[in-house]
Amino acid sequence: MQCPACSTENPAGATFCQHCGASLTAAPPPPPGGGYTQVPQPATAPAAAGYVPVQSGLSDNSAAAIAYITIIPAIIFLVMEPYNRKPFVRFHAVQCIGLHVLAFATGIVLAILGTILAMIHLGLLSFLLGPICWIGLVIMWVLCIVSAAQGKWFKLPFIGDFAKKQAGA
């Protein structure tokens, strides 16, 4: 007797295949056409009283944390549905943009201050002040990423208040 599952020849009277263990008595013969059958699919999903559509995309915490990676995801989350309707994601995206504006302004101030200090022979002071400012910005950036990933509304001074107003929260 031939096994319908693996096509192994088995002794007569055997109830299970010696090779794969499939039942030899209750198994239907293999379908014609190479073993493939087409299963009809329903046209629409059944509408049940407790049916909840599956949410696709990122969670709010993930989207808010990703917004801080660079300014590009922050802008995308402010424009793209459904993230632009979520106050938590909008808050962190606007705060990220504010943090980038602060970093840009810090760079300009440090360049001007470095030039002035170099003119009065205190250029060494700008070499000390620059890294301290950038380390402070990096620490704020990491705090924002971690708090967004944890679902916290961590507000930076001045920037956070502006972002909260823009997010509508």
Side-chain angles (χ1 to χ4, degrees):
M1 174 171 229
Q2 189 173 9
C3 174
C6 67
S7 301
T8 302
E9 198 62 40
N10 290 291
T15 55
F16 294 101
C17 177
Q18 294 176 347
H19 181 67
C20 69
S23 175
L24 298 176
T25 55
Y36 296 102
T37 58
Q38 185 173 3
V39 178
Q41 298 292 326
T44 59
Y51 177 73
V52 177
V54 177
Q55 180 185 4
S56 63
L58 297 170
S59 68
D60 289 354
N61 295 357
S62 299
I66 290 171
Y68 285 104
I69 293 176
T70 64
I71 199 168
I72 295 169
I75 293 169
I76 290 172
F77 288 142
L78 286 175
V79 175
M80 194 170 78
E81 292 279 338
Y83 305 107
N84 63 356
R85 291 184 276 127
K86 298 180 179 182
F88 184 72
V89 177
R90 284 183 56 84
F91 166 75
H92 284 288
V94 171
Q95 185 164 273
C96 169
I97 292 171
L99 190 61
H100 278 84
V101 169
L102 177 66
F104 182 75
T106 302
I108 291 174
V109 168
L110 286 175
I112 293 170
L113 188 63
T115 304
I116 293 171
L117 290 174
M119 285 183 197
I120 57 173
H121 304 293
L122 293 174
L124 182 62
L125 186 61
S126 68
F127 284 117
L128 297 174
L129 189 60
I132 291 171
C133 290
W134 292 118
I135 288 171
L137 284 169
V138 168
I139 288 172
M140 284 192 294
W141 178 66
V142 170
L143 283 173
C144 288
I145 292 173
V146 170
S147 65
Q150 293 174 349
K152 297 178 184 174
W153 291 75
F154 178 73
K155 291 187 342 179
L156 294 171
F158 304 111
I159 298 171
D161 295 329
F162 175 76
K164 192 99 167 165
K165 288 178 190 173
Q166 297 301 315

